[in-house]
Amino acid sequence: MRKNSIKNTRVNTEVLKELSKILREGIKDPRVATFTSVVAVEVAPDLKTCKAYISVLGDKKAQEDTVKGLQSAEGYIRRELARTVNMRNTPEIKFILDQSIEYGVNMSRMIDEVTKDLKDGEE
């Protein structure tokens, strides 16, 4: 796999920042959960496609509804992105649900339970 160039890293950072702002302020779709955050963005070097990894705080249904809502609002999101970020091409955005934050919270909870059990065993 190729290492990202400085230009590509800057584009990824700028798209991440603007995409977060658009999701926070511009989306009115009731399917999109309030606590939706953009975790990472990968824009292809040719600026044609973009993978946006999103995290949704909520149950499985809320996550699925949010992804569907974002997919249906992709045209609006692309238009806003084109308006705010000056790029040669505005990428086609694919929203991917990122489970890493939820996984980290579950692992932390399990570690806390184990350490609590160990402390209870010592007493």
Side-chain angles (χ1 to χ4, degrees):
M1 189 170 157
R2 248 174 60 174
K3 185 180 174 196
N4 278 350
S5 67
I6 293 171
K7 176 188 159 217
N8 202 356
T9 304
R10 285 183 186 154
V11 168
N12 287 344
T13 305
E14 190 63 28
V15 169
L16 174 82
K17 189 169 65 172
E18 290 301 324
L19 205 53
S20 297
K21 185 178 176 187
I22 292 168
L23 291 185
R24 191 174 56 247
E25 298 171 359
I27 301 293
K28 303 285 190 257
D29 193 329
R31 292 178 291 183
V32 177
T34 308
F35 297 109
T36 301
S37 59
V38 182
V39 178
V41 169
E42 291 177 9
V43 179
D46 63 355
L47 305 177
K48 299 274 187 206
T49 60
C50 169
K51 292 179 185 173
Y53 296 93
I54 59 165
S55 176
V56 180
L57 185 66
D59 60 346
K60 192 87 169 152
K61 182 170 179 2
Q63 293 173 349
E64 291 170 0
D65 288 347
T66 298
V67 170
K68 287 178 186 171
L70 290 175
Q71 287 170 345
S72 71
E74 189 207 344
Y76 168 77
I77 294 169
R78 267 185 90 182
R79 209 168 29 255
E80 287 298 306
L81 201 59
R83 196 175 57 74
T84 57
V85 180
N86 186 18
M87 291 194 293
R88 186 174 8 141
N89 296 320
T90 303
E92 184 178 314
I93 304 166
K94 181 178 181 189
F95 293 100
I96 300 170
L97 194 60
D98 185 25
Q99 306 282 0
S100 62
I101 294 174
E102 184 179 342
Y103 178 76
V105 169
N106 288 336
M107 290 302 285
S108 179
R109 189 178 306 125
M110 284 192 261
I111 291 170
D112 290 343
E113 288 175 11
V114 169
T115 55
K116 188 184 90 174
D117 291 344
L118 288 175
K119 286 180 183 176
D120 289 345
E122 290 175 358
E123 293 174 4

